Amino acid sequence: MYDGDIASTLVTEDDIRAKTAELAVRIADDYAERCATSDLLLVGVLKGAVMFMTDLARALPLPVQLEFMAVSSYGSATSSSGVVRILKDLDRDIADRHVLIVEDIIDSGLTLSWLLKNLESRGPASLAVCTLLRKPDAVKVDVPVQYVGFDIPNEFVVGYGLDYAERYRDLPFIGTLDPAVYA
Ligand code: XMP
Ligand code: MG
């Protein structure tokens, strides 16, 4: 599949599975008490977070509900500007709910920073972030991220939900693209 397009594997399928299980234990631990009377609400950011969201939901040993949001950050195909537009909003009110945003990747952190402000204004009982991947630049901005799967180098990655021109989302691992693909 995608013969020759993938230059290297950064995070294997096994790595992802093990890390997801590890994060699930931490999250379940942190939320067990708070979510005894109302289910944890996972908010996934479409489309990149879909694979991680569904695997995380199944790994979590506590009841969760799923909501999705789609946003677009104006900018080029491979970098964001921080100006965000909602393409699809949540279907339900999140007031007084314990909300965990599930992200595929935090790069500059601009998208997440906007999303946190937006969701915070809706009055959730609590708001936290779980991301599978984080790039070095994200560490420079002041966005609190409670759960991080992997810190990765500053390279464009695809797979496991992440795309280049809508392709490669279906790969079960995270890899880098051969430069010839961009050309
Ligand atoms: P910021 O910079 O706002 O960007 O944190 C977050 C969004 O940018 C996309 N993004 C990537 N998508 N491979 C991708 O397929 C990457 O390496 C990459 N880096 C950033 C992604 O949509 C993310 O939610
Ligand atoms: Mg994308």
Side-chain angles (χ1 to χ4, degrees), residues 71-82 104-105 107-108 111 135 155-158 161-169 177 181-183:
V71 299
S72 102
S73 47
Y74 291 101
S76 67
T78 58
S79 77
S80 73
S81 64
D104 50 352
I105 188 166
D107 189 345
S108 70
T111 307
K135 288 188 185 178
E155 282 179 82
F156 191 76
V157 295
V158 296
L162 292 154
D163 74 305
Y164 175 69
E166 295 302 325
R167 302 190 80 211
Y168 313 106
R169 293 192 199 275
L177 275 182
V181 176
Y182 304 101

